[in-house]
Every structure is written in C-alpha cells, then in structure tokens.
Amino acid sequence: MNKAIVVTGTPATGKTTVAKAIANKLNLKYIDVNSLIRTHNLSEGYDDKMKCDIVDTDKLNRILKQMIKDSDQKLVIDSHLSHHLPKSYVELCIVTKCELKELKQRLEKRGYSKAKVRENLDAEIFDICRNEAKEKGHNVIVINTSEGSKDIDDVLEEFGFLKQFEA
Ligand SMILES: Nc1ncnc2c1ncn2[C@@H]1O[C@H](COP(=O)(O)OP(=O)(O)OP(=O)(O)O)[C@@H](O)[C@H]1O
Ligand SMILES: [Mg+2]
C-alpha cells in the first residue's frame, strides 16, 4: 500500500497551496477533501455560525482509507481533517502554520464573520491540528507559510528528504 502524505492545519494557513505544490513537485496525486465531501454527501449539516460543513470524520476516514488502499499512486490529501487518519495509512503529516497577524488578514479577506475569524485564530493559537496529529502518532513536519517569500518551492527545497517520496 502507498501510504499517503496528509496536509493539515488551521483554515487559511496554506494547506491547498502546500499540498498542490508537493503533488506537482513529486508527481503525486492531489486529493481535495472538500470536493470528496460533496461527491460522497458527507456533510451532515451546515454550521451557520461558522459557515462550514459538519462532517463525520469516521465516514470520511473510511472513504480516504479505501482510496489509499486502492490507489496505485501515493496521494497527497488536503484537509484540516486529514490528520484523523490512522498512522498506518500515513507516511508523513505536514502541518501548515501562519503568523497570527497574517492569518487574521487572510481570514478577514475571505469575508468570514468575527466569530469564525476568532475561532480559527484560537485553533491556531492552541495548535490544535499539530497537537492532534502528534497524539495520533504521525510523523509530523511543520511548514510556516507566512515567512519570507511566497515561493513554496523554496520551502520544499529545504525539505530535501521529501524527494524520497517522489513517484
Ligand atoms: N507561502 C505562502 N506565502 C504567502 N501567502 C500564502 C502562502 N501560502 C498560502 N498563502 C495565501 O494564504 C491564503 C490561504 O491559502 P490556502 O488556500 O492554501 O489555505 P488553506 O489552508 O488551504 O485554506 P482552507 O482551509 O480554507 O482550505 C491564500 O490567499 C494564499 O494565497
Ligand atoms: Mg484549502
């Protein structure tokens, strides 16, 4: 089985940017969990205050596990829920992080409500995704998307060891 690379992190910290860059660079298959949630009808309702789908992570895990088992390619899974996968399915868990000031700007630029901006900043402050990923026992690396240049390729160059996952 080709274990997956999962990319998790607080909303707007740069998961999609990083996951797509890694998939392109290493020639792996990019999986957008948001579109999976739609195609598999995994949404169990809508949180109006937070303006997001409510998703059953067990159901999502079942689908992702099947996809990982069936895939002849290594998958790069983009989702703030991806770190809930069991360790046995995950080769590497990348957590994206962003400085709070910049994260606040990114969230506000999206037009999120005050409550949603606050909730997401709190999630970043408490490092929820990284802590949950560590609790799961994943092999965790952190990529800070707020530092320096926008060129994520430079960041990936620093992580030369990623090459071992190349297809
Ligand atoms: N390395 C970076 N340098 C500067 N800006 C970045 C970087 N990575 C991402 N951004 C910017 O931050 C914003 C959020 O990035 P992105 O959409 O990748 O986050 P996300 O974690 O996938 O968000 P969501 O959880 O909503 O899917 C975008 O406007 C993007 O251009
Ligand atoms: Mg995204």
Side-chain angles (χ1 to χ4, degrees), residues 15-16 30 34 78 110:
K15 295 180 293 296
T16 300
Y30 168 79
N34 287 329
D78 170 9
R110 290 178 172 192

Side-chain angles (χ1 to χ4, degrees), residues 84-102:
H84 293 295
L85 276 165
K87 182 178 160 64
S88 55
Y89 285 80
V90 177
E91 179 122 61
L92 178 70
C93 177
I94 294 171
V95 180
T96 52
K97 300 275 301 168
C98 178
E99 304 297 339
L100 294 176
K101 205 173 149 205
E102 186 173 335

Side-chain angles (χ1 to χ4, degrees), residues 10-17 102 106 110 145 150 152:
T10 305
T13 51
K15 295 180 293 296
T16 300
T17 310
E102 186 173 335
R106 289 185 192 176
R110 290 178 172 192
T145 69
K150 281 198 180 197
I152 205 72

